Amino acid sequence: PIVYFESEEGGMTDEVFEQYKKLYLELLIRCKNENSQMILMIDLNKTAEIQMNYLQKMSKFNKEIYKYNQLYIKYIYCISVVFILYYF
């Protein structure tokens, strides 16, 4: 499957983080059952700022499932457009 991640307008909360983990684990299980791999797409332009405590939680979560990511993720695409503004 192709998976597109986008953050919610309210930013990251405990509830949103738990939903993210649940969805992500369901996707990994689906890949295992179908003997397939995911393509992850993350649009950094539509990603709200994430507080440090959630970055730490995400890091810990990804460390726990690292071996499954190696098996079931084929590609990760990060979409980003950088605008440079010049003030004269």
Side-chain angles (χ1 to χ4, degrees):
I2 297 175
V3 181
Y4 179 83
F5 281 110
E6 182 178 314
S7 65
E8 298 198 6
E9 284 186 26
M12 186 68 75
T13 63
D14 288 337
E15 182 181 342
V16 171
F17 182 70
E18 291 302 318
Q19 289 174 353
Y20 159 78
K21 287 191 335 185
K22 181 180 176 185
L23 172 65
Y24 196 83
L25 291 173
E26 287 172 358
L27 290 167
L28 289 174
I29 291 168
R30 177 179 168 191
C31 287
K32 179 182 178 184
N33 291 339
E34 295 177 1
N35 195 24
S36 63
Q37 292 181 310
M38 284 188 274
I39 296 174
L40 298 179
M41 299 180 72
I42 304 165
D43 189 345
L44 298 177
N45 297 312
K46 295 185 178 181
T47 302
E49 288 186 29
I50 299 176
Q51 299 164 329
M52 182 58 74
N53 61 322
Y54 291 111
L55 288 175
Q56 291 170 334
K57 286 180 179 185
M58 289 177 106
S59 176
K60 182 180 177 191
F61 173 68
N62 283 309
K63 185 177 179 182
E64 291 170 356
I65 62 169
Y66 179 75
K67 65 180 179 182
Y68 301 106
N69 284 338
Q70 286 184 309
L71 293 172
Y72 301 117
I73 295 183
K74 186 166 184 141
Y75 299 109
I76 298 174
Y77 293 101
C78 293
I79 303 164
S80 177
V81 177
V82 177
F83 291 98
I84 300 174
L85 300 176
Y86 291 96
Y87 293 97
F88 296 97

